[in-house]
């Protein structure tokens, strides 16, 4: 080992450059799902909505007195009857449901606005 002189400057070796970070791993492409899973793969909430839609359409079909076993089935007339009955039901709902809807909105909307204001700091 060599002794350092007081007058001799210390030998400084440069640090090696930092190693480059490894590139992120490429995402593994998942294999495509089977056709039946893609076709019928819905969650519980999706099935509930599907059943509710079936019931709603069933009520509309029954309200229009559509009988597919009748010999004189007329699909355009059945669709027309469904449209007429739907419009009549919408008119009846507008005449009879606006007061309860307005009374409910008078309570629900202020509470909803207050809730949105209170929870504002916690939302991103």
């Amino acid at each position: 080992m060599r002794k350092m002189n007081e007058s001799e400057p210390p030998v400084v070796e440069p640090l090696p450059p930092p190693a480059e970070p490894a590139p992120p791993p490429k995402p593994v492409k998942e294999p495509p799902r089977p056709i039946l899973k893609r076709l019928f793969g819905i969650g519980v909430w999706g099935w509930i909505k599907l059943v509710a839609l079936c019931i709603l359409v069933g009520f509309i079909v029954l309200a229009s007195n559509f009988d597919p076993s009748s010999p004189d089935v007329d699909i355009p007339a059945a669709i027309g009857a469904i449209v007429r009955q739907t419009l009549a039901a919408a008119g009846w709902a507008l005449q009879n449901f606006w007061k309860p809807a307005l009374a409910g909105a008078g309570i629900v909307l202020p509470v909803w606005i207050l809730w949105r204001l209170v929870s504002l700091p916690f939302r991103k």
Side-chain angles (χ1 to χ4, degrees):
M1 242 180 160
R2 179 181 117 177
K3 279 191 168 178
M4 272 182 36
N5 291 339
E6 296 290 324
S7 62
E8 190 177 308
V11 177
V12 178
E13 295 181 12
L15 292 174
E20 292 185 23
K26 292 184 179 180
V28 178
K29 188 174 181 181
E30 295 181 20
R33 295 185 303 162
I35 187 76
L36 288 176
K37 194 162 214 148
R38 285 187 285 157
L39 187 60
F40 298 112
I42 60 175
V44 174
W45 185 241
W47 285 109
I48 291 171
K49 290 192 291 187
L50 186 62
V51 168
L53 181 63
C54 289
I55 292 170
L56 177 67
V57 169
F59 279 135
I60 292 171
V61 169
L62 291 176
S64 67
N65 293 325
F66 178 67
D67 183 15
S69 63
S70 175
D72 56 340
V73 171
D74 187 12
I75 299 295
I79 292 173
I82 289 171
V83 169
R84 279 192 305 278
Q85 291 292 335
T86 303
L87 291 175
W92 177 81
L94 286 174
Q95 287 177 345
N96 295 314
F97 287 139
W98 69 272
K99 287 180 184 179
L102 189 61
I107 295 170
V108 170
L109 289 179
V111 170
W112 179 77
I113 291 171
L114 284 173
W115 177 253
R116 296 290 289 184
L117 287 172
V118 167
S119 66
L120 184 64
F122 306 105
R123 282 186 269 133
K124 292 182 180 182

